[in-house]
Amino acid sequence: MFAKALALLALTLPLGAQSLDYDIFKSKVEPIFLKKRPGLARCVVCHSAANNAFKLQPLAEGSKTWTEEQSRKNFDSIQDIVVPGKPESSRLLLHPLIHAAGGDEFHSGGQQFTSKSDPDWKTIADWINGKK
């Protein structure tokens, strides 16, 4: 009886009740923020210096990646702009997506993703959806 009730409760929880996987974030998503795209700045350049909703930790001079502590802070920062289970509602994906593909009209860092078919966009969407 208890198992049935627990299963029913799990079915009624909103998708947003899912949690985001830190290990997948660190291994697959976080490196995207370091990538250089032609004609655009890397995410880390603007988002470690600006005071906006998506705040990345600044890289130490000469470092090519974040420390464990910095990665945890980056992961915490993302919680406010991602809706677990709902990539189409997550500002992390909509803000840098080209407007013609359903993204925001303006992103000061340029349109990082030209479509939802972009491999990096899909990687982030898969992570938001809980795929491993």
Side-chain angles (χ1 to χ4, degrees):
M1 178 84 165
F2 178 72
K4 247 185 188 179
L6 197 55
L8 183 59
L9 178 62
L11 288 174
T12 61
L13 287 174
L15 287 176
Q18 292 176 282
S19 62
L20 299 168
D21 185 293
Y22 171 75
D23 292 326
I24 299 296
F25 168 79
K26 187 174 177 187
S27 66
K28 294 183 178 179
V29 175
E30 197 174 44
I32 294 169
F33 308 140
L34 298 171
K35 258 189 186 177
K36 175 73 174 125
R37 293 177 178 270
L40 299 168
R42 297 178 303 148
C43 299
V44 66
V45 171
C46 296
H47 288 279
S48 64
N51 186 20
N52 50 35
F54 179 34
K55 179 81 171 143
L56 291 169
Q57 295 298 300
L59 291 172
E61 191 171 326
S63 181
K64 296 190 185 297
T65 189
W66 288 282
T67 65
E68 181 66 23
E69 180 182 352
Q70 288 174 314
S71 289
R72 290 274 177 196
K73 287 181 181 179
N74 288 341
F75 181 74
D76 290 343
S77 170
I78 290 234
Q79 305 295 319
D80 292 335
I81 58 172
V82 169
V83 181
K86 296 183 178 183
E88 302 284 338
S89 300
S90 297
R91 288 189 60 217
L92 179 65
L93 284 175
L94 295 179
H95 196 54
L97 177 65
I98 194 165
H99 184 64
D104 288 348
E105 194 165 328
F106 178 74
H107 175 238
S108 60
Q111 302 307 288
Q112 297 281 336
F113 305 118
T114 57
S115 77
K116 293 177 183 176
S117 297
D118 180 290
D120 291 333
W121 196 94
K122 289 168 77 172
T123 294
I124 297 170
D126 286 348
W127 169 67
I128 292 170
N129 273 326
K131 292 184 181 174
K132 304 248 176 188

